[in-house]
Structure formats: structure tokens, C-alpha cells
Amino acid sequence: MRILIDALSARAGGGVTYIEHILPALADLHSAHTFMVLFSSQYQQDLIATVPPGIQVVTADLPAEPLARRWWYLQTGLVRV
């Protein structure tokens, strides 16, 4: 099974901490599942650099704001991923 984690909202604080801790734990599972994480290539380069081997990175060319644009991408563009 392919499992996608939407990390687009992780910009500061707890969201970033969660992503920084959950991805290594998932990579260590050595599961039959494929784990992917969705980041914005515009504002999450630091987080992308911390993704451990075994986790696939999916990037979207989205700005942090407006939220409506991100919502629209999640409803229409993400389906193609």
C-alpha cells in the first residue's frame, strides 16, 4: 500500500517537530508499505533535506499562502500523484 503524509501545513512548531520525528520512525519500520510525504518546494526546503532514506518525497510548487490555493491543489492536483 502507498501511504501519503500531507506535510504542507508543517511550517513551524509542533507540525515541524512531528514530521521530523515520524519520518525516521516510519523509515525504521522496514514495512512492505511505501511511505511518501508531500512538501512544498517553495517553503519547506529545510524539511525536505531531513527526510530519511526509504521515504519518498513528493513536492508541490505551492506558496504558503493563500490557503485556498493549497486546498484546491489537495482536491484536484493531488489526485494525479
Side-chain angles (χ1 to χ4, degrees):
M1 177 184 307
R2 294 185 306 161
I3 300 168
L4 178 71
I5 299 165
D6 177 3
L8 290 173
S9 295
R11 292 192 294 170
V16 171
T17 301
Y18 178 78
I19 292 299
E20 289 175 338
H21 288 88
I22 194 73
L23 296 181
L26 291 173
D28 287 343
L29 288 178
H30 303 292
S31 172
H33 302 300
T34 301
F35 294 101
M36 302 176 292
V37 61
L38 176 64
F39 289 115
S40 171
S41 59
Q42 289 189 20
Y43 63 91
Q44 291 179 305
Q45 290 299 323
D46 292 342
L47 273 175
I48 292 170
T50 67
V51 175
I55 304 290
Q56 293 179 345
V57 173
V58 177
T59 58
D61 187 26
L62 293 171
E65 301 290 337
L67 294 178
R69 184 169 175 198
R70 186 170 65 199
W71 178 86
W72 183 254
Y73 174 79
L74 292 174
Q75 301 303 313
T76 61
L78 187 59
V79 176
R80 289 180 237 133
V81 173

